[in-house]
Amino acid sequence: MNITTIGTRAALLLCLASPTWAASPIDAAARAEGEQRWADAARYYREALGQQPDDVGLWKRLSDVEARRGQPLAAAQALDKAASLRPQDGALAFDASRAWAQADKPAEALAACRRADSLRPGEEEILRTCASQANWVGDSAQSVHFWRALLAKHAGKPEDRRQYAQALGWSGELDEAVRVYRDYLADAPQDAEAWLDYAKVQSWRGDYAAADAALSAYRERFGETREWHAVRARMLAWADWPDAAAAHADPLLASAPDDYELNYTRTLILRNDRQPDAALASLDRVQALRPESRDTLVLVRATRTAHRPAVSAGATFYSDADDIDIARAELGGVLPLNARTALLAGVGTESNKTVSGSPFLTLDGERRATLSDGWLGARHRFSPALGMEARVGAVHMDDYGERLIATLRADLRPSDQLNFVLLGARAPFTPSPLAVSHAVMANQIMAQAYWRPTLSSYVDAYVARADLSDGNRRSEFYLAPRLVVLRGQSLNLDAGVSGHWMDYARQLGHGYYDPDDYRRYAVNLYGYWKISDDDGISLKTSLGWHKDAGMTDYKFGEDVVLEGFLGIYRNTYVHAQLGYAGRSQTTGSYDAWSFMLNLTQRF
């Protein structure tokens, strides 16, 4: 090679290296793109953007290159920058939303999609994308908003209604979710997943019979799949049928011991099966699998609350048409020793008074009589089928003496459908100052039965006998079947009938109502307003007719009880009750009012 050739080539190299002769970064980027050298193309585009930072087209090209070289986050950031430079460009905002989704950034994707919707409102594709992204980020309320807007403006795809129903369920709009699922399943009965989701929503409403019907429809079409067993196990666990739930859940859990949903169901089963130590151990497993999940936190509160130490202070007041006023104050506490055993203690004082000239004055002619009592106790769960509680103490009744008081209670659960409570108690029977002055004590035995033959029917019953220290004897029988009328997002309603039979062996006039052959038949309504998981209001009404041996015919009477439950699983729990009973007697109208307020502080 001669000197001339070498010189020529050197001159050419110098020219190419100089700014005048070098290709621009944009040209270099384009050439690199054409040769699929994506990393070089990205570098050149960034160099160009250093000189032209407001060039939207360059940001879009950079985004495309970053996506091609497998850098979705960098691609989304570049496209988002382009969208920020054109704040009124809805299409560009929508492209940025999808880019963020590709980068697995749901919050950023939803924010960009919402901008696109504000700029191009009502577009079907944007609304559908925003709904899905809101669901992805866990914002069920936003997802419902977008699905609702889409379906209000567009026919949409058939599966849009299912996704709308799913979002409604997750956001807590359960009644609307049920309606949408019903409409959708009428048109798409072969959608297996929708049947299961519909059953879940009915379970969340507490309508276990409807959930079971949905699961039966699924089984007829698709058989008893693993998913069917899992959903039915959860439904039965919530319905407080733990044995039936375990038959579905246990085989699934054996083959998938780390499945969060199955472990959650297992904890519910053990809790409702009265296996507190096993339930707490299962709860630890659930927490280990998903410690920050909202479902986990709810389960923890609902399961551990019953095992926390607590102190309660309460007051009750009673007043009736016989001019008897009874006020009582109590203080009690519970100290759990372990999951199965707890110590109990309580003290109380009562003022029982009437007016001058009343037939219920004490034997000494006093208007007022007072009582005070105290007791110690313990409770223990021996097995899922047997739990017991015992209390013993004393009551002091003014100058009328001190007496032993005691309670022994056994809870029996032979099956999911049937529960019994057997109760033996010795307690003062003091509905008036006169009864206090007679120092009337009642030795009572009672057997209560709670039968639930189906998921939508209940039967409550009890039979009781009390031997009174003044030589009298009271016998009682009560029967009250009822059916579920409504299980909704915010309201539960049951309706039923009841019969109450009572008689006293003797009519002594010792300051208490002691009728011979008392009977009452009534229609009952039970309502509950679900404010939240922690708060609710109950209203019970009983409208019926009653008669005793001294009455010529049946008379009308009503009972109304309003209760409030505030902080059911919180540290501080308030339980309040207001009651009214009206009875038409041969001697005129009898009215009685009662009020109770109890405050529990948990530790």
Side-chain angles (χ1 to χ4, degrees):
M1 182 180 295
N2 58 35
I3 297 297
T4 302
T5 303
I6 294 173
T8 301
R9 292 191 175 185
L12 180 59
L13 289 172
L14 288 171
C15 289
L16 290 173
S18 69
T20 304
W21 286 88
S24 72
I26 296 175
D27 292 339
R31 185 180 303 115
E33 276 196 79
E35 296 171 357
Q36 297 187 3
R37 292 184 288 112
W38 308 119
D40 289 339
R43 177 167 53 83
Y44 287 129
Y45 277 128
R46 290 189 184 279
E47 183 180 341
L49 284 164
Q51 301 170 12
Q52 304 175 58
D54 295 333
D55 192 317
V56 172
L58 287 179
W59 283 109
K60 292 172 68 176
R61 290 307 311 149
L62 175 61
S63 176
D64 184 59
V65 167
E66 292 287 13
R68 288 175 179 273
R69 76 186 191 104
Q71 298 296 320
L73 180 57
Q77 291 169 335
L79 200 54
D80 196 63
K81 177 64 176 178
S84 70
L85 293 170
R86 286 186 185 170
Q88 301 305 314
D89 191 333
L92 193 52
F94 189 42
D95 289 340
S97 173
R98 289 183 289 193
W100 281 119
Q102 288 294 321
D104 198 24
K105 294 290 184 179
E108 291 83 352
L110 177 59
C113 194
R114 293 179 63 183
R115 290 198 304 272
D117 177 61
S118 67
L119 295 168
R120 302 176 68 168
E123 290 195 15
E124 182 175 351
E125 187 179 4
I126 293 177
L127 290 171
R128 182 177 291 107
T129 301
C130 290
S132 298
Q133 289 173 347
N135 176 60
W136 183 18
V137 84
D139 192 338
S140 299
Q142 280 291 314
S143 184
V144 166
H145 164 76
F146 286 115
W147 284 122
R148 187 172 283 151
L150 186 151
L151 293 171
K153 294 176 178 292
H154 308 282
K157 301 175 183 178
E159 60 267 25
D160 288 344
R161 283 188 295 158
R162 178 172 65 81
Q163 294 190 59
Y164 174 44
Q166 190 176 61
L168 285 165
W170 288 340
S171 69
E173 296 190 41
L174 304 181
D175 295 342
E176 179 68 5
V178 164
R179 185 191 67 77
V180 176
Y181 270 123
R182 284 174 177 163
D183 291 345
Y184 172 75
L185 287 168
D187 296 331
Q190 295 307 310
D191 189 331
E193 183 180 355
W195 281 108
L196 295 179
D197 287 343
Y198 174 52
K200 291 176 187 177
V201 170
Q202 289 288 24
S203 295
W204 297 341
R205 294 206 309 168
D207 195 341
Y208 304 117
D212 200 37
L215 290 169
S216 295
Y218 176 99
R219 182 176 55 187
E220 291 174 2
R221 291 171 171 83
F222 314 108
E224 295 184 0
T225 64
R226 181 181 181 84
E227 293 77 11
W228 178 86
H229 282 288
V231 174
R232 194 161 196 270
R234 179 71 65 87
M235 181 273 291
L236 292 170
W238 272 325
D240 198 14
W241 279 11
D243 292 343
H248 292 281
D250 287 353
L252 302 180
L253 193 59
S255 62
D258 295 330
D259 186 288
Y260 171 82
E261 298 295 340
L262 291 174
N263 279 280
Y264 188 107
T265 299
R266 182 61 177 163
T267 303
L268 288 175
I269 291 170
L270 293 168
R271 188 181 75 194
N272 293 341
D273 197 34
R274 287 71 164 173
Q275 299 186 53
D277 42 4
L280 292 174
S282 179
L283 180 63
D284 290 340
R285 179 65 176 157
V286 172
Q287 287 184 280
L289 291 169
R290 291 188 192 172
E292 302 302 324
S293 166
R294 180 185 179 278
D295 288 343
T296 297
L297 298 177
V298 170
L299 183 65
V300 168
R301 296 171 66 239
T303 305
R304 294 195 183 278
T305 295
H307 305 290
R308 298 171 61 187
V311 173
S312 297
T316 58
F317 180 77
Y318 168 89
S319 181
D320 65 27
D322 288 329
D323 296 317
I324 294 174
D325 295 334
I326 302 174
R328 178 173 175 82
E330 295 179 326
L331 181 66
V334 55
L335 178 63
L337 301 181
N338 53 52
R340 292 178 176 268
T341 307
L343 299 180
L344 315 168
V347 294
T349 182
E350 181 179 306
S351 171
N352 195 319
K353 68 177 184 178
T354 187
V355 297
S356 299
S358 167
F360 299 105
L361 297 172
T362 69
L363 292 172
D364 298 329
E366 299 293 331
R367 294 175 49 242
R368 181 192 303 269
T370 59
L371 300 87
S372 59
D373 57 81
W375 52 268
L376 296 173
R379 64 175 177 231
H380 181 73
R381 170 61 57 179
F382 291 93
S383 71
L386 176 62
M388 297 194 72
E389 180 178 310
R391 302 182 181 186
V392 63
V395 59
H396 176 77
M397 297 183 282
D398 267 350
D399 298 326
Y400 309 110
E402 293 186 352
R403 299 290 189 274
L404 173 73
I405 57 176
T407 301
L408 182 63
R409 173 190 172 106
D411 296 293
L412 306 174
R413 193 185 68 84
S415 70
D416 283 344
Q417 290 82 11
L418 190 60
N419 291 265
F420 292 104
V421 173
L422 304 180
L423 179 70
R426 175 176 171 80
F429 183 58
T430 54
S432 71
L434 179 57
V436 175
S437 67
H438 279 287
V440 180
M441 299 293 293
N443 296 321
Q444 177 174 280
I445 56 173
M446 174 184 289
Q448 296 173 286
Y450 304 93
W451 182 37
R452 193 178 179 189
T454 69
L455 290 169
S456 60
S457 60
Y458 303 81
V459 179
D460 298 335
Y462 71 80
V463 58
R465 175 188 170 109
D467 292 310
L468 306 183
S469 58
D470 61 0
N472 215 340
R473 184 263 310 143
R474 181 184 70 233
S475 300
E476 280 186 274
F477 177 64
Y478 178 81
L479 179 65
R482 72 181 193 272
L483 294 173
V484 170
V485 175
L486 173 68
R487 287 293 182 267
Q489 170 184 325
S490 301
L491 182 65
N492 289 352
L493 182 64
D494 293 357
V497 297
S498 63
H500 184 199
W501 298 266
M502 177 177 66
D503 72 80
Y504 281 77
R506 303 165 65 187
Q507 285 66 55
L508 299 177
H510 284 177
Y512 54 88
Y513 180 53
D514 50 6
D516 181 18
D517 193 22
Y518 175 88
R519 304 177 184 184
R520 184 171 188 265
Y521 307 98
V523 175
N524 305 317
L525 294 175
Y526 311 79
Y528 184 75
W529 178 31
K530 297 175 281 189
I531 301 173
S532 71
D533 290 341
D534 279 310
D535 311 299
I537 296 175
S538 167
L539 179 64
K540 304 174 185 177
T541 61
S542 178
L543 309 176
W545 289 261
H546 58 277
K547 181 181 183 299
D548 63 31
M551 300 166 63
T552 57
D553 54 13
Y554 281 89
K555 302 291 185 180
F556 180 77
E558 70 278 1
D559 294 343
V560 181
V561 178
L562 178 68
E563 289 186 87
F565 309 88
L566 305 175
I568 296 171
Y569 301 118
R570 288 195 289 264
N571 292 342
T572 301
Y573 170 51
V574 179
H575 179 200
Q577 182 185 91
L578 178 65
Y580 169 76
R583 297 288 185 269
S584 297
Q585 305 284 4
T586 54
T587 55
S589 177
Y590 174 83
D591 301 296
W593 291 90
S594 63
F595 175 74
M596 180 275 291
L597 179 65
N598 191 78
L599 173 66
T600 298
Q601 183 63 44
R602 301 176 177 123
F603 303 96

